[in-house]
Amino acid sequence: MKHYEVEILDARTRDKLCFLDKVEPQATVADIKNLFSKAHPQWYPARQSLRLDPKGRSLKDEDVLQSLPVGTTATLYFRDLGAQISWVTVFLTEYAGPLLIYLLFYFRVPFLYGPRYDFTASRHRVVHLACCCHSFHYVKRLLETLFVHRFSHGTMPLRNIFKNCTYYWGFAAWMAYYINHPLYTPPAYGDDQVKLALAVFLFCQLGNFSIHVALRNLRPAGSKTRKIPYPTRNPFTWLFLLVSCPNYTYEVGSWIGFTIMTQCLPVALFSLVGFVQMAIWAQGKHRSYLREFRDYPPLRSPIIPFLL
Amino acid sequence: MAAAGGGSRADNGYGGQQARRRKGPGALATGYLVIYNVVMTAGWLVIAVGLVRAYLAKGSYHSLYYSIEKPLKFFQTGALLEILHCALGIVPSSVVLTAFQVMSRVFLTWAVTHSVKEVQTEDSVLLFVVAWTITEIIRYSFYTFSLLNHLPYLIKWARYTLFIVLYPMGVSGELLTIYAALPFVRQSGLYSISLPNKYNFSFDYYTFLILVMISYIPIFPQLYFHMLHQRRKVLSHTEEHKKSE
């Protein structure tokens, strides 16, 4: 069996960082990363980007050495992706925050509102309902992170956690402040408005969960395969006929429901910002589906049927 | 804070001195940009002349704002087009940075000076108007000459040197004006909405203005040192170029 030699150069300075000899042809890029980190322990595999061309795309961990367009002496270029943090950690942190922060405002913990309101309860039923919905939403997200989602990337750059947490925690505090405020004004159309909003919210929560489960089932445990998602027997997944990322569609729907329920402008703004971000992600995902699969269903739009 | 000559723009202008691989504006865009920059230079010259004439007529430098209020509003607001120029790619600058700088000027012009009439007689207004006027005349003529590939060294020097004084001067004028506006905003509840209301939203413009003032603390030094850094790069590069001639 012929062994490969792998030399790893810095993508920017072209310095020779590492030379590996006697690498098995069936070694994967992940194996090479492990070997590289032995020589440079500060660059653990998650923060390594190895590529064939200094300005090219990163090689995937699953790529096998002998299937790459290299001779028996392969030259790979290394870029440091910076400190990494696992997706699971980021998700848990960014979702636990809103859950707790909202409750602080709901229970009117001291220093948030005037002292005479400390630990009092709102006299509006919708405020209690809103707390249940908001808390349910984030508990659902936490549980999905732990038990449902299958992440294709293990990590993301460390600075993302600060950015993401500021966004989620900041908006949660801003919304919770008004909804649980002693001077909160309940919805103009009363119980009818709240009932409709609750129905929309629950429908979309179920929808979103159904999509997450469907996506999970597309991918066997531990694999990073990508397949076209299709509708299953669950009616909530039938939205796949019209949209590439129905999970985002349902998510926006949930927040619209919550906006109607609370009739609170900050919630509307949060929904809007979230929608813009998810639309951008959906466009990207849709485009990468189109690139990867020749037979991708042409009827589908990224996030809103027929429109966006 | 926006008083300096557009600190974070592509400071070497369109002169083509750098071997940039970017496409750059086409002939039509260049023509349009030349017209735009000439018009803006003229506009700010009108404001400068207006200030001088008013000063000579009144015999004092107080309350000169009224004599240039309209052209100031017109030409400063017109600068919003520069955001569009970046978005269209005919100007090689960051949309976000340009938007930020132009919006901060427009904010001061409309949301502070125009909206809080009581500050219009403040001397701090003259301070930032003078700083802006001199800066913009130089900046727009810099762009004009760069587009025509004929940039006199004096203009380049002025753009990268006068900011050293004009920038702090403008920032001082802006901060003092916002500070002067505070009691009137508090008293009149300008642009503020309080609870309870059916949108379950509140906004306190007074607090917002204080936060704006605080934001100058991290932002101003960064922009200032960026300009100083650009100055060293641009002016020393020209020195070497001249020496080698």
Side-chain angles (χ1 to χ4, degrees):
Chain A
M1 180 173 52
K2 223 155 54 142
H3 279 177
Y4 279 66
E5 294 179 330
V6 178
E7 70 164 356
I8 301 180
L9 311 178
D10 184 296
R12 250 183 304 223
T13 65
R14 310 297 162 96
D15 289 341
K16 209 157 130 177
L17 295 172
C18 183
F19 185 82
L20 304 165
D21 58 358
K22 294 224 189 348
V23 183
E24 319 256 304
Q26 313 99 300
T28 60
V29 170
D31 296 329
I32 295 174
K33 285 184 179 175
N34 280 321
L35 292 170
F36 182 61
S37 74
K38 286 202 175 61
H40 296 271
Q42 74 277 23
W43 289 325
Y44 43 87
R47 69 189 278 180
Q48 297 177 30
S49 162
L50 294 178
R51 47 302 272 269
L52 293 169
D53 177 86
K55 296 205 173 81
R57 287 161 116 227
S58 281
L59 294 170
K60 291 188 258 212
D61 281 0
E62 315 80 67
D63 290 342
V64 176
L65 183 56
Q66 66 181 0
S67 67
L68 296 175
V70 291
T72 49
T73 303
T75 303
L76 298 179
Y77 294 92
F78 162 78
R79 261 200 92 202
D80 182 13
L81 297 171
Q84 297 286 302
I85 186 167
S86 84
W87 273 70
V88 173
T89 309
V90 174
F91 271 33
L92 292 178
T93 318
E94 69 190 16
Y95 298 156
L99 181 63
L100 294 168
I101 290 171
Y102 193 100
L103 290 172
L104 291 177
F105 285 92
Y106 176 74
F107 289 114
R108 294 188 184 156
V109 145
F111 299 108
L112 295 173
Y113 304 111
R116 66 186 171 113
Y117 298 113
D118 289 351
F119 297 118
T120 56
S122 172
R123 54 192 172 85
H124 304 290
R125 258 200 339 210
V126 67
V127 171
H128 306 297
L129 181 63
C131 184
C132 292
C133 290
H134 187 271
S135 305
F136 171 80
H137 179 79
Y138 281 101
V139 167
K140 168 180 160 292
R141 285 213 201 185
L142 287 164
L143 293 174
E144 283 172 341
T145 303
L146 291 168
F147 302 115
V148 177
H149 295 317
R150 291 209 164 110
F151 296 96
S152 28
H153 301 282
T155 67
M156 66 167 85
L158 181 63
R159 81 189 85 88
N160 277 17
I161 196 174
F162 301 107
K163 195 167 50 105
N164 291 12
C165 285
T166 305
Y167 171 79
Y168 277 104
W169 297 14
F171 261 116
W174 195 41
M175 295 191 287
Y177 173 78
Y178 289 107
I179 300 171
N180 299 293
H181 200 283
L183 297 177
Y184 172 76
T185 307
Y189 297 99
D191 278 355
D192 289 340
Q193 185 171 337
V194 175
K195 279 195 205 122
L196 171 71
L198 181 63
V200 169
F201 178 80
L202 288 175
F203 182 87
C204 292
Q205 290 288 285
L206 272 167
N208 177 265
F209 178 70
S210 305
I211 304 300
H212 287 159
V213 169
L215 290 171
R216 171 204 173 80
N217 292 335
L218 270 189
R219 172 180 278 179
S223 86
K224 290 185 190 174
T225 53
R226 271 193 309 282
K227 301 208 287 250
I228 303 178
Y230 283 106
T232 67
R233 278 208 292 253
N234 180 339
F236 286 107
T237 64
W238 297 352
L239 195 50
F240 270 121
L241 290 167
L242 299 175
V243 151
S244 291
C245 301
N247 49 317
Y248 293 148
T249 318
Y250 283 120
E251 182 69 19
V252 176
S254 296
W255 286 105
I256 291 175
F258 193 66
T259 305
I260 297 170
M261 187 190 296
T262 56
Q263 198 171 293
C264 178
L265 184 61
V267 179
L269 291 171
F270 178 66
S271 310
L272 181 65
V273 175
F275 169 66
V276 169
Q277 176 65 87
M278 285 187 277
I280 294 171
W281 288 338
Q283 306 262 7
K285 189 94 201 133
H286 183 77
R287 246 173 262 140
S288 78
Y289 276 142
L290 287 172
R291 253 179 302 161
E292 188 161 352
F293 303 109
R294 296 278 136 205
D295 55 339
Y296 195 72
L299 186 62
R300 295 190 192 182
S301 320
I303 187 175
I304 307 219
F306 310 116
L307 292 178
L308 196 61
Chain B
M1 140 163 87
S8 319
R9 312 289 177 87
D11 295 289
N12 293 311
Y14 321 101
Q17 290 159 321
Q18 308 293 82
R20 271 176 202 242
R21 227 82 85 33
R22 247 188 272 243
K23 265 201 317 212
L28 184 64
T30 306
Y32 160 75
L33 285 170
V34 169
I35 294 172
Y36 173 80
N37 285 300
V38 166
V39 165
M40 293 304 258
T41 310
W44 286 93
L45 278 166
V46 162
I47 294 169
V49 166
L51 283 171
V52 171
R53 289 183 65 183
Y55 170 69
L56 292 172
K58 280 176 152 209
S60 97
Y61 58 82
H62 300 297
S63 303
L64 296 181
Y65 169 76
Y66 300 101
S67 53
I68 44 84
E69 181 180 5
K70 285 207 175 49
L72 176 70
K73 284 176 174 171
F74 181 82
F75 290 100
Q76 185 57 81
T77 312
L80 285 168
L81 283 171
E82 286 163 49
I83 306 174
L84 186 64
H85 298 164
C86 295
L88 291 175
I90 58 178
V91 166
S93 291
S94 145
V95 177
V96 171
L97 242 28
T98 307
F100 181 77
Q101 289 179 285
V102 174
M103 291 307 294
S104 83
R105 287 283 193 90
V106 167
F107 175 78
L108 237 119
T109 306
W110 289 99
V112 181
T113 314
H114 165 80
S115 300
V116 186
K117 308 227 176 306
E118 295 87 342
V119 306
Q120 289 168 3
T121 52
E122 291 282 326
D123 290 342
S124 54
V125 173
L126 181 65
L127 202 58
F128 75 73
V129 169
V130 168
W132 290 5
T133 304
I134 302 175
T135 303
E136 298 301 68
I137 292 171
I138 297 170
R139 181 167 75 90
Y140 287 116
S141 36
F142 176 92
Y143 289 145
T144 309
F145 286 116
S146 300
L147 282 163
L148 299 171
N149 276 318
H150 184 86
L151 180 64
Y153 181 73
L154 180 64
I155 305 276
K156 183 198 296 216
W157 178 90
R159 191 196 172 187
Y160 283 98
T161 306
L162 296 183
F163 80 89
I164 296 175
V165 166
L166 293 175
Y167 200 8
M169 188 174 142
V171 165
S172 306
E174 293 171 29
L175 284 173
L176 285 166
T177 306
I178 299 175
Y179 184 73
L182 288 176
F184 302 105
V185 168
R186 177 42 103 226
Q187 194 189 319
S188 68
L190 180 68
Y191 300 145
S192 302
I193 178 171
S194 62
L195 294 175
N197 61 73
K198 63 176 169 167
Y199 302 110
N200 290 305
F201 176 69
S202 67
F203 181 72
D204 184 24
Y205 193 48
Y206 179 87
T207 309
F208 179 74
L209 286 176
I210 292 185
L211 290 173
V212 167
M213 290 177 72
I214 293 176
S215 74
Y216 275 66
I217 298 176
I219 296 176
F220 165 67
Q222 280 191 51
L223 290 178
Y224 194 65
F225 288 122
H226 173 77
M227 276 303 275
L228 282 171
H229 179 75
Q230 289 297 109
R231 175 171 200 267
R232 244 168 270 136
K233 243 182 33 180
V234 170
L235 294 187
S236 69
H237 180 266
T238 317
E239 283 300 307
E240 282 161 27
H241 194 75
K242 281 173 133 188
K243 278 188 204 142
S244 65
E245 276 172 354

